[in-house]
C-alpha cells in the first residue's frame, strides 16, 4: 500500500513538473513572439508622428535638427507613396534631404547658418499616395507644390504647424472631402490652388477674410451660395469655375479693389447682375458665362476701364447692351451669345472680337426664333425677388496682400540649391572662427 502511495505521489510530482515545463515553454515562446512583434511594430512605426516617439537609425548623422525632422517627414511620405512611375523619390535616401529630388533648401529664417527645407515641388510627377501626418514636421516649409499627381485622401491636421507656408498648390489630384479649413489657420499663406480635385460642400466665410493674393477652386464639387462676405477678400485673382454654386451673384464683389481676374463660369448662379460690379476698375477678365443670370447687363460695367475680356454668354440676360460697355478702352473680346438681348450699340460690332449669336437681334443671322424671343421677353424680370443681399458692409481693405518675396519663389530656391549650397556654410564657418 505504501509502495502504491509512493508511486502515486511520484507520478503526481512528475506530472506537475511536466506540466510546469510545458507551460513555461509556451509562455516563453509567447513572450518571445510578443517581443519580436514589438520590435517589428516598433520598426514599422519608427518614423511615426502620430503620438509615438520619433526615432531614426542611430548611425545616421544630421547637419542640424531641422534636417533631421525633414528626414523623418520625407521618409514617412515615401512610405505612403503607392506608385512613383518617374522614380522622383528614388534618391530620397540618406541624411541630407537637401539632395532629394524636388526638395529645396534655404537658410533658416531665424538662423541663416542653418539649412532647412523651404520648398517642395514635385509637379507633374504622376505619383500616387497620400499625405502623412509627419509632413507637419517641415516647420520652415514656404512652398508646397503637388500639381498633377494622384494623391488622394485629405490634408493632414498637422499642416497647422506650417506657419511659414505661403504657396499651397494641390491642384489636379484626387483629394476629397469638405473644404480643408485647417489651411485658414496658416498665417503666411497667400496663394491657394486646389482646383481639379473632389472637394465638396460649401465654402467657409473665413476664406474671404484671409489676405490671399490668389484663390483657385475651379473644377471641384463645391455647392451652395457664395458667401456674402466675398468682397472682404483682397485677392487679385479668384477662379471658381466648374463647380455647383447657386443663388446670387454677390453684390459685395464690387468691394474688391485689387481684383484683376474673376472667373465664375459654369455654375448655377441665378440672380440679376449686381450693378456694384462696375466698381471693379482694375478688373481685366470677367467671366460669368454658363450660369442662369437674368435681367439687363448693368450700364455700370462701362466704368470698368481696365476690362479686356468680358464673357456673359449662355445666360438669360436681356435688354440693350449700352454704348459705354462697348466703348471701354481696353475691351478686346466680348462674348454675349446665347442670351436674349434685343438691342446693342453699333459700336459693339466694331470690337476686335465679339460673339452675338443666339440672341434676339432682328434681321441678324444665327439668332433665336421670334416665338422663343417673344415668350421669354414677355416675362417681367423682378430682381428683388431673388432676395439677394445688397446691404453688405465690407471690412476696410487698406492695402493689397503681400506679394511673394524671395525666397518664397521656386526659381530662387532652385538657384540657391544648385549654385549656392556651400557658400553660406563657408560664410558661417568663417564667422565662427
Amino acid at each position: 500500500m505504501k509502495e502504491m502511495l509512493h508511486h502515486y505521489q511520484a507520478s503526481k510530482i512528475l506530472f506537475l513538473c511536466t506540466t510546469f515545463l510545458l507551460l513555461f515553454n509556451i509562455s516563453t515562446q509567447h513572450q518571445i513572439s510578443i517581443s519580436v512583434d514589438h520590435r517589428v511594430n516598433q520598426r514599422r512605426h519608427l518614423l511615426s508622428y502620430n503620438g509615438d516617439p520619433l526615432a531614426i537609425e542611430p548611425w545616421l548623422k544630421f547637419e542640424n535638427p531641422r534636417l533631421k525632422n525633414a528626414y523623418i517627414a520625407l521618409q514617412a511620405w515615401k512610405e505612403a507613396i503607392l506608385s512613383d512611375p518617374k522614380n522622383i523619390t528614388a534618391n530620397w535616401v540618406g541624411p541630407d534631404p537637401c539632395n532629394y529630388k524636388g526638395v529645396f533648401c534655404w537658410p533658416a529664417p531665424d538662423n541663416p547658418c542653418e539649412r532647412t527645407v523651404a520648398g517642395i515641388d514635385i509637379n507633374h510627377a504622376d505619383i500616387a499616395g497620400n499625405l502623412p501626418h509627419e509632413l507637419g514636421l517641415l516647420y520652415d516649409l514656404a512652398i508646397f507644390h503637388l500639381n498633377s499627381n494622384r494623391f488622394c485622401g485629405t490634408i493632414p491636421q498637422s499642416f497647422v504647424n506650417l506657419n511659414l507656408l505661403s504657396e499651397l498648390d494641390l491642384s489636379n489630384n484626387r483629394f476629397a472631402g469638405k473644404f480643408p479649413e485647417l489651411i485658414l489657420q496658416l498665417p503666411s499663406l497667400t496663394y491657394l490652388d486646389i482646383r481639379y480635385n473632389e472637394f465638396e460642400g460649401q465654402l467657409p466665410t473665413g476664406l474671404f477674410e484671409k489676405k490671399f493674393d490668389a484663390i483657385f477652386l475651379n473644377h471641384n464639387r463645391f455647392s451652395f451660395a457664395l458667401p456674402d462676405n466675398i468682397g472682404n477678400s483682397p485677392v487679385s485673382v479668384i477662379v471658381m469655375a466648374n463647380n455647383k454654386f447657386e443663388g446670387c451673384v454677390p453684390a459685395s464683389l464690387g468691394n474688391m479693389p485689387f481684383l484683376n481676374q474673376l472667373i465664375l463660369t459654369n455654375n448655377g448662379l441665378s440672380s440679376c447682375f449686381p450693378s456694384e460690379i462696375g466698381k471693379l476698375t482694375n478688373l481685366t477678365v470677367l467671366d460669368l458665362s454658363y450660369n442662369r443670370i437674368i435681367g439687363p447687363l448693368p450700364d455700370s460695367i462701362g466704368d470698368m476701364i481696365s476690362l479686356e475680356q468680358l464673357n456673359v454668354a449662355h445666360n438669360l440676360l436681356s435688354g440693350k447692351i449700352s454704348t459705354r460697355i462697348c466703348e471701354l478702352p481696353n475691351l478686346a473680346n466680348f462674348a454675349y451669345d446665347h442670351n436674349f438681348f434685343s438691342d446693342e450699340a453699333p459700336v459693339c460690332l466694331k470690337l476686335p472680337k465679339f460673339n452675338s449669336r443666339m440672341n434676339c437681334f432682328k434681321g441678324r443671322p444665327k439668332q433665336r426664333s421670334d416665338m422663343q424671343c417673344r415668350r421669354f421677353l414677355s416675362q417681367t424680370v423682378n430682381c428683388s425677388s431673388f432676395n439677394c443681399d445688397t446691404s453688405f458692409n465690407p471690412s476696410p481693405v487698406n492695402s493689397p496682400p503681400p506679394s511673394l518675396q524671395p525666397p518664397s519663389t521656386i526659381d530662387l530656391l532652385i538657384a540657391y540649391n544648385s549654385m549656392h549650397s556651400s557658400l553660406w556654410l563657408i560664410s558661417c564657418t568663417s564667422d565662427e572662427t
Side-chain angles (χ1 to χ4, degrees):
M1 183 70 178
K2 290 181 179 181
E3 292 180 0
M4 293 180 61
L5 181 60
H6 178 74
H7 180 72
Y8 171 78
Q9 289 175 344
S11 300
K12 183 177 180 181
I13 293 173
L14 180 62
F15 173 77
L16 291 174
C17 290
T18 304
T19 303
F20 172 80
L21 290 174
L22 180 61
L23 291 175
F24 176 80
N25 184 53
I26 294 173
S27 175
T28 301
Q29 291 181 352
H30 180 65
Q31 292 297 326
I32 292 173
S33 176
I34 291 175
S35 178
V36 171
D37 289 343
H38 175 71
R39 289 197 298 270
V40 170
N41 288 333
Q42 188 179 33
R43 175 63 183 170
R44 186 177 300 141
H45 295 93
L46 189 62
L47 305 178
S48 176
Y49 179 58
N50 193 19
D52 295 326
L54 296 175
I56 57 172
E57 294 83 349
W59 58 86
L60 292 177
K61 304 299 180 183
F62 296 92
E63 187 178 297
N64 59 60
R66 301 172 194 265
L67 295 184
K68 181 179 180 180
N69 281 341
Y71 172 83
I72 294 171
L74 295 173
Q75 292 302 316
W77 194 10
K78 187 175 181 179
E79 288 294 322
I81 289 175
L82 303 176
S83 173
D84 183 5
K86 298 181 181 180
N87 291 321
I88 299 298
T89 63
N91 79 328
W92 285 22
V93 294
D96 188 3
C98 298
N99 290 328
Y100 293 4
K101 189 172 183 178
V103 179
F104 305 97
C105 289
W106 195 266
D110 59 342
N111 185 353
C113 288
E114 278 192 9
R115 287 193 305 168
T116 188
V117 172
I120 293 176
D121 186 346
I122 53 173
N123 287 347
H124 306 284
D126 197 28
I127 294 175
N130 59 72
L131 304 183
H133 295 285
E134 287 83 356
L135 289 176
L137 289 170
L138 300 173
Y139 300 112
D140 300 316
L141 196 66
I143 296 173
F144 194 53
H145 290 178
L146 300 185
N147 182 306
S148 299
N149 284 282
R150 289 175 287 140
F151 288 106
C152 61
T154 58
I155 302 175
Q157 185 64 33
S158 63
F159 264 49
V160 297
N161 294 333
L162 309 183
N163 290 329
L164 301 181
L165 191 65
S166 62
E167 295 186 12
L168 178 61
D169 184 354
L170 305 178
S171 59
N172 198 18
N173 277 282
R174 299 173 182 175
F175 293 107
K178 295 182 179 180
F179 181 90
E181 292 196 48
L182 66 91
I183 65 176
L184 302 182
Q185 302 178 45
L186 303 179
S188 303
L189 193 64
T190 59
Y191 180 93
L192 175 63
D193 190 348
I194 58 173
R195 56 187 159 171
Y196 289 95
N197 278 288
E198 300 293 332
F199 292 111
E200 59 188 29
Q202 63 187 93
L203 296 180
T205 57
L207 174 63
F208 304 107
E209 303 294 339
K210 301 290 292 182
K211 289 188 176 181
F212 286 129
D213 178 61
I215 299 175
F216 296 92
L217 308 178
N218 50 295
H219 292 84
N220 277 283
R221 298 181 179 181
F222 292 119
S223 56
F224 298 92
L226 293 174
D228 288 327
N229 72 327
I230 189 173
N232 278 351
S233 178
V235 294
S236 61
V237 177
I238 185 166
V239 182
M240 297 190 286
N242 296 288
N243 280 284
K244 299 179 181 180
F245 294 117
E246 56 190 33
C248 300
V249 179
S252 67
L253 286 170
N255 300 314
M256 306 174 76
F258 310 112
L259 194 60
N260 183 261
Q261 295 184 29
L262 174 62
I263 301 177
L264 292 169
T265 186
N266 196 25
N267 281 288
L269 300 174
S270 56
S271 69
C272 288
F273 217 119
S275 60
E276 289 83 356
I277 207 159
K279 299 177 183 179
L280 301 178
T281 55
N282 289 317
L283 199 70
T284 61
V285 177
L286 176 59
D287 191 343
L288 290 171
S289 60
Y290 289 90
N291 282 285
R292 295 195 295 272
I293 303 172
I294 198 168
L297 196 61
D299 185 66
S300 62
I301 292 179
D303 297 327
M304 302 170 69
I305 57 175
S306 302
L307 200 60
E308 300 173 4
Q309 310 283 334
L310 176 58
N311 191 345
V312 294
H314 291 267
N315 278 288
L316 303 173
L317 297 167
S318 59
K320 180 180 179 179
I321 301 174
S322 73
T323 301
R324 294 184 65 235
I325 295 176
C326 292
E327 285 184 342
L328 284 169
N330 297 300
L331 189 61
N333 189 352
F334 184 14
Y336 50 97
D337 56 289
H338 290 83
N339 280 287
F340 291 87
F341 291 115
S342 56
D343 197 6
E344 64 187 338
V347 69
C348 297
L349 304 180
K350 299 179 181 180
L351 288 169
K353 188 176 181 180
F354 69 93
N355 189 343
S356 63
R357 292 178 298 175
M358 297 304 292
N359 277 287
C360 297
F361 299 121
K362 292 184 178 179
R364 298 269 294 277
K366 298 181 180 179
Q367 299 295 302
R368 297 182 184 275
S369 67
D370 289 341
M371 181 174 293
Q372 189 177 15
C373 289
R374 284 198 303 270
R375 285 179 177 176
F376 184 86
L377 296 177
S378 64
Q379 304 175 41
T380 302
V381 177
N382 181 9
C383 291
S384 61
S385 65
F386 294 102
N387 296 318
C388 296
D389 187 1
T390 59
S391 60
F392 178 75
N393 296 318
S395 300
V397 180
N398 298 318
S399 61
S403 59
L404 300 178
Q405 300 289 336
S408 63
T409 61
I410 202 66
D411 291 336
L412 288 180
L413 289 175
I414 295 173
Y416 163 79
N417 199 64
S418 60
M419 294 188 295
H420 305 295
S421 59
S422 61
L423 294 182
W424 67 275
L425 281 173
I426 297 173
S427 174
C428 290
T429 303
S430 61
D431 290 344
E432 290 174 359
T433 56

